[in-house]
Amino acid sequence: PEPMAGRCAYFVQRKKRFCKMVPAAGRRFCGEHGQLEGESDRKRIPCPLDPKHTVYEDQLQKHLKKCNSREKPKPVYFVQDINAGLKDVAEIPEIQVSAFILSLIPVQLPILKCLHLHTGLELHHKEQILPHQALQEALNDPKNGESAFKHLKQQASILGNMEKLHLLGPGRCFVEFGAGRGKLSHWVDAALQNAENVHFLLVERATTRFKVDGKHKRRDSIFERLQVDIQHLCLNKVPILEKKHIPVVGIGKHLCGAATDLALRCLVESYTTSSDGENEEPVLKRFKSDKTEVACNSCPDNERNEENTLQNPKTVAGIVIALCCHHRCDWTHYVGREFFKSVGLGPVEFHYYQRMSSWATCGMREGITKSSMNEEESGDQTNNTEEHDQTYSKTEDASDTLQGLLTVEERKEIGCLCKLLINHGRIEYLQQRGYKAALQYYTESTVSLENVLLTAVPRQSWISEPTT
C-alpha cells in the first residue's frame, strides 16, 4: 500500500496503515515520525501531561500552555465531591472475595428471600410499558436496524411514563444525566413540540462524538452541555438555573451504578440546599398543607404552577431514570445506606450483594450469545461497550468458581433479589425526602435486560397527582 497524497509516509505497524498526519512542506514524515526516520535532528519527548503523544523538546513550555490534556479551569457549577455522599471512607473495610465466602453464597438465596419478606419488598415490579406518539414514525421506519429499534422502544416508554406523571410540559428544565449523545433529550424535545420556556442540560463527563444536540431546529428550547462528573455537579450554580427559577426534571437512560446515586443526591440534596450551604427543610414540609392544596386545586393549572414556582424556586418536579449496572454501585455513594443499616446490613454485605447483582443479567453465561451482548452494549451511552465487557468478564470468572454450587436459575434469582434490595434503598431514600417513588418494568427483557425504571414525584407538589 502507498501513503495518501500529502500525508505522512510512516507505516504504523500497530494500526496496519500509514500515518494520517500532514507533514511540513517539503518533508515526507510528520514531526512525530520524522526523528525516527532521520529526517529531523530536533528531539521529541513524551508530553508530561499525556505520554501518548510527543512534542519537540525545545517547544515544551509553549506546548504545555495549549495541550488538550492540560487541566482546564473548573466551571462555576463544579463543587468538589458535593454529591459524593460518605465522607469518612475509613468506615469501609478492605474487602477480598475469598474461597470461603464464595462457599457460603448458596445459602444466600433463602436469606435474601427472608430479608425481602421482612422488609415488605415486592418481588416483582408492575409492568408499565407505554408508547409515545413522538417516536411512532421512527419506530415504523424500516431503515432502523434491530439495535436502534430496541433503543427507540425504550425511549418511547420512558416518555410515556413521563407523560403519565405529567412531567412533559412547558416551563421546565430537563437535566439528562449520563447524556452521551443526548438522544433521550432529543425525543423529549420532540414530544414537547411547541412548548415554551423549555431548557435542556445534558450532563456528561466525557467528550462525546456524534452528538444530536445540533439537530434541533426549534428555537424555543435551549440545549446546554455540562461536561462534568455528576459527583461534582452543583445545579444551584448552573447559570440558567440561577437566572430562571423553573422546575427541574431529572432524566437518564441506563445510568450506570453509582451514577444513579450521585444523580439522586444532586437533585434532592445539593439542588435544594440554600446558597449559603445550609440544608433547608425536607421537600414534603416545604409544600403547601393539604387544606391549601385543596383550595388551589380549583385554580387554573397555569396560575397554580406560577404561584408554587415562586414559593419553591428550587423545585424538582420529577425524576425518571432507567437503572443499569448495579454491580458498579459503591457504598461510598449509595443513597440507601440508612435502609441497609436498618435491616442489619453494612458495607461488607452491600459489597457482596452488589457483586452478585450482575447474575440477574449474566447468569452463568448460558443463553447469552455474542449478538445479545452486542444488542445490550450498542447504543447512545458513552463507553457503554467497554463497561459491559468488564461486567461479563468478571462474572465469568466467578461462575467458574461456583460451577456445581448453584444452578443458572438460582444465580439469576439471587441476582434479581440483590438488585431489588439495592433499588429499595433508593426508594426509601426518596420517600424519606417527600417523594412518591416507584419502580416498574418499562420495557420487555427481550428488548433490554436492564428494564427497570425509577420514577419519583413530590407527594404534594404543584403537579397534580398522576392518574392511573
Side-chain angles (χ1 to χ4, degrees):
E2 295 292 329
M4 296 173 61
R7 300 300 175 94
C8 177
Y10 184 84
F11 188 80
V12 185
Q13 289 290 343
R14 181 173 60 85
K15 298 183 178 180
K16 305 299 182 186
R17 63 167 175 78
F18 285 96
C19 172
K20 296 182 179 181
M21 297 295 290
V22 179
R27 295 184 179 273
R28 294 184 64 234
F29 303 97
C30 66
E32 188 82 18
H33 300 123
Q35 185 179 354
L36 297 176
E37 297 296 325
E39 191 177 50
S40 173
D41 295 331
R42 297 173 68 189
K43 184 179 179 182
R44 292 186 72 89
I45 59 173
C47 172
L49 300 178
D50 182 6
K52 292 181 181 178
H53 65 274
T54 62
V55 59
Y56 286 118
E57 188 175 28
D58 55 3
Q59 289 188 336
L60 177 60
Q61 296 306 316
K62 180 181 178 181
H63 170 80
L64 292 176
K65 295 178 181 178
K66 62 179 182 180
C67 178
N68 288 332
S69 298
R70 72 190 186 280
E71 186 176 357
K72 299 175 179 65
K74 296 290 190 296
V76 293
Y77 45 79
F78 180 97
V79 178
Q80 186 73 36
D81 294 329
I82 187 171
N83 305 314
L86 193 64
K87 299 296 188 291
D88 184 13
V89 293
E91 180 183 330
I92 306 175
E94 188 71 24
I95 300 171
Q96 298 292 334
V97 181
S98 66
F100 172 71
I101 292 295
L102 288 173
S103 69
L104 296 179
I105 287 179
V107 306
Q108 291 295 328
L109 184 56
I111 291 175
L112 280 166
K113 285 182 176 178
C114 290
L115 188 59
H116 281 69
L117 289 172
H118 173 69
T119 54
L121 269 66
E122 292 289 338
L123 295 182
H124 298 285
H125 306 311
K126 178 183 177 183
E127 190 175 273
Q128 197 151 282
I129 303 171
L130 303 175
H132 198 281
Q133 188 61 36
L135 289 95
Q136 201 59 46
E137 185 178 345
L139 283 166
N140 294 330
D141 189 349
K143 293 180 181 178
N144 287 318
E146 185 179 3
S147 177
F149 178 76
K150 289 184 175 184
H151 282 286
L152 288 168
K153 284 196 72 173
Q154 294 175 67
Q155 288 153 347
S157 186
I158 291 173
L159 263 65
N161 277 276
M162 291 177 68
E163 189 166 63
K164 185 179 177 70
L165 294 171
H166 304 282
L167 297 177
L168 293 177
R172 288 170 173 80
C173 178
F174 295 89
V175 183
E176 183 179 356
F177 294 95
R181 294 173 59 196
K183 274 292 188 71
L184 183 56
S185 292
H186 166 79
W187 289 115
V188 171
D189 182 55
L192 292 171
Q193 297 180 350
N194 298 317
E196 298 179 351
N197 193 23
V198 176
H199 303 267
F200 291 90
L201 297 176
L202 280 63
V203 183
E204 178 58 67
R205 65 182 177 184
T207 304
T208 308
R209 301 177 66 191
F210 310 117
K211 298 186 286 287
V212 298
D213 311 21
K215 296 183 179 180
H216 303 282
K217 298 180 180 179
R218 289 179 50 229
R219 297 181 180 178
D220 302 337
S221 54
I222 299 171
F223 281 74
E224 181 183 352
R225 278 195 172 260
L226 308 180
Q227 190 174 340
V228 62
D229 194 307
I230 304 170
Q231 182 170 330
H232 313 302
L233 172 60
C234 180
L235 287 176
N236 283 331
K237 297 188 177 183
V238 175
I240 192 74
L241 293 178
E242 276 191 321
K243 183 180 178 181
K244 293 190 175 183
H245 292 160
I246 57 178
V248 164
V249 178
I251 60 176
K253 177 175 174 285
H254 288 179
L255 195 56
C256 281
T260 295
D261 299 299
L262 296 172
L264 293 178
R265 194 175 282 109
C266 176
L267 289 165
V268 306
E269 286 189 42
S270 67
Y271 182 57
T272 53
T273 299
S274 57
S275 57
D276 59 2
E278 296 180 1
N279 290 331
E280 295 179 349
E281 292 181 291
V283 176
L284 184 59
K285 293 183 180 179
R286 293 205 313 274
F287 290 115
K288 297 185 294 298
S289 65
D290 294 338
K291 191 177 292 186
T292 311
E293 181 73 24
V294 171
C296 269
N297 280 338
S298 61
C299 304
D301 285 344
N302 290 341
E303 292 180 13
R304 185 165 70 251
N305 292 355
E306 183 178 352
E307 175 189 347
N308 285 277
T309 300
L310 290 174
Q311 289 182 5
N312 302 298
K314 296 177 182 178
T315 301
V316 176
I319 301 169
V320 179
I321 296 175
L323 305 174
C324 179
C325 295
H326 294 72
H327 69 283
R328 298 180 72 88
C329 291
D330 188 285
W331 179 258
T332 306
H333 306 312
Y334 182 51
V335 296
R337 291 195 303 269
E338 291 305 316
F339 162 70
F340 259 65
K341 291 176 181 177
S342 70
V343 293
L345 302 175
V348 176
E349 291 83 3
F350 178 83
H351 173 77
Y352 292 116
Y353 292 160
Q354 161 240 324
R355 288 288 298 272
M356 292 188 292
S357 68
S358 63
W359 295 351
T361 53
C362 301
M364 293 177 86
R365 294 181 62 84
E366 286 189 16
I368 304 291
T369 63
K370 186 174 182 180
S371 60
S372 64
M373 284 172 60
N374 289 339
E375 288 166 4
E376 191 66 21
E377 291 164 4
S378 61
D380 304 334
Q381 308 306 310
T382 307
N383 295 330
N384 211 25
T385 303
E386 180 181 334
E387 291 180 358
H388 283 281
D389 284 344
Q390 293 172 2
T391 306
Y392 285 100
S393 63
K394 287 179 181 178
T395 307
E396 188 175 20
D397 293 340
S399 300
D400 294 338
T401 309
L402 292 171
Q403 281 285 6
L405 294 178
L406 295 171
T407 67
V408 176
E409 290 306 316
E410 283 176 331
R411 285 173 58 81
K412 288 181 179 178
E413 188 174 3
I414 289 175
C416 289
L417 291 173
C418 290
K419 289 174 69 173
L420 276 167
L421 203 62
I422 293 172
N423 288 338
H424 187 75
R426 291 164 169 168
I427 293 296
E428 287 219 350
Y429 167 82
L430 290 166
Q431 289 174 343
Q432 289 171 4
R433 281 155 180 79
Y435 287 85
K436 182 179 179 180
L439 297 165
Q440 50 263 318
Y441 295 118
Y442 76 103
T443 192
E444 301 92 345
S445 59
T446 53
V447 173
S448 175
L449 294 174
E450 297 282 12
N451 62 340
V452 174
L453 188 71
L454 168 66
T455 61
V457 291
R459 286 202 197 102
Q460 297 179 10
S461 71
W462 53 270
I463 298 176
S464 58
E465 283 291 317
T467 56
T468 57

